[in-house]
Amino acid sequence: KQEVTQIPAALSVPEGENLVLNCSFTDSAIYNLQWFRQDPGKGLTSLLLIQSSQREQTSGRLNASLDKSSGRSTLYIAASQPGDSATYLCAVGEETSGSRLTFGEGTQLTVNP
Amino acid sequence: NAGVTQTPKFQVLKTGQSMTLQCAQDMNHEYMSWYRQDPGMGLRLIHYSVGAGITDQGEVPNGYNVSRSTTEDFPLRLLSAAPSQTSVYFCASSYNRGWELFFGEGSRLTVL
């Protein structure tokens, strides 16, 4: 059974800092990996989607990398802003059905002004 | 473009009552799914559908029923509510296998 772990569970940084969020998974036979953002009381918003054949994806100040062989992904946030404060979740898609996801518990990020 | 719409946003039930959580999407997505989110457990898949008329069980299907009569709608039915079903429920959809997943705003259910 796939297990997804996110470390740290919570992170507090000053505004402007570059930061890395980590995600690890136990079964490397994945179809894709997605990073989501969740604001309090809200649904999840997809940030980046990496297919299993890709190594990284970028969107604005966000960069996500994927290393299938080691079962790891990182989300890099450059020049963090208070508006980046949220919980970030990674989710791994099964190899046989990419839309069936296993989620980590998330990293709660606080960016202080 | 409304995306994924869930109703109701909040609901309180008594043990043994039944209810249906509604989910509709207007993006012509083939894949739809229901997750529940609980503290310390993360999001867990309840049921999913790969297209109209096709549904399958996820990780925690017991106590829940689904149907997919149209591409747009994917309701989740609680047959006899239990306190263990107190949770936040999310509906999500994607265009096709492995595509970006879009979530609704969630439905917060409390079972007394």
Side-chain angles (χ1 to χ4, degrees):
Chain A
K1 177 187 173 186
Q2 179 75 265
E3 293 183 3
V4 180
T5 303
Q6 292 187 245
I7 295 173
L11 181 64
S12 181
V13 301
E15 182 177 2
E17 191 162 299
N18 302 326
L19 59 99
V20 174
L21 306 181
N22 297 295
C23 172
S24 61
F25 45 94
T26 55
D27 186 349
S28 62
I30 67 170
Y31 191 85
N32 58 25
L33 184 144
Q34 294 188 49
W35 283 93
F36 295 88
R37 168 186 174 137
Q38 185 175 26
D39 293 289
K42 298 292 186 181
L44 282 71
T45 301
S46 179
L47 297 173
L48 290 165
L49 167 65
I50 310 176
Q51 302 295 347
S52 62
S53 59
Q54 297 175 317
R55 297 283 293 183
E56 65 177 343
Q57 282 285 346
T58 298
S59 176
R61 294 182 293 108
L62 305 179
N63 176 275
S65 68
L66 174 63
D67 185 341
K68 270 184 59 174
S69 60
S70 67
R72 294 181 183 180
S73 176
T74 61
L75 179 66
Y76 175 82
I77 303 177
S80 58
Q81 303 170 358
D84 295 330
S85 298
T87 296
Y88 292 81
L89 299 101
C90 72
V92 173
E94 289 184 352
E95 190 169 53
T96 54
S97 171
S99 292
R100 181 170 170 160
L101 302 180
T102 301
F103 282 82
E105 290 194 44
T107 294
Q108 185 174 358
L109 173 66
T110 302
V111 181
N112 301 299
Chain B
N1 192 340
V4 180
T5 303
Q6 291 183 233
T7 56
K9 291 189 179 343
F10 300 94
Q11 183 72 49
V12 178
L13 290 177
K14 294 181 180 178
T15 297
Q17 288 184 318
S18 63
M19 77 157 299
T20 299
L21 300 178
Q22 302 290 345
C23 176
Q25 52 89 11
D26 60 0
M27 298 174 282
N28 200 31
H29 285 177
E30 289 294 326
Y31 281 79
M32 296 188 74
S33 53
W34 277 100
Y35 289 85
R36 61 177 288 174
Q37 186 175 36
D38 302 288
M41 305 289 289
L43 281 102
R44 293 177 292 168
L45 181 64
I46 305 171
H47 286 284
Y48 66 100
S49 169
V50 299
I54 307 170
T55 64
D56 206 347
Q57 296 181 350
E59 183 183 354
V60 288
N62 292 342
Y64 307 96
N65 246 354
V66 292
S67 60
R68 184 94 180 271
S69 56
T70 67
T71 299
E72 295 78 19
D73 300 300
F74 191 45
L76 178 72
R77 297 182 185 85
L78 280 71
L79 307 175
S80 178
S84 61
Q85 293 179 305
T86 294
S87 186
V88 181
Y89 292 84
F90 289 100
C91 180
S93 71
S94 64
Y95 179 72
N96 209 331
R97 173 188 178 190
W99 286 56
E100 181 182 6
L101 200 60
F102 292 82
F103 279 78
E105 291 280 288
S107 296
R108 185 176 296 274
L109 175 67
T110 301
V111 182
L112 303 175

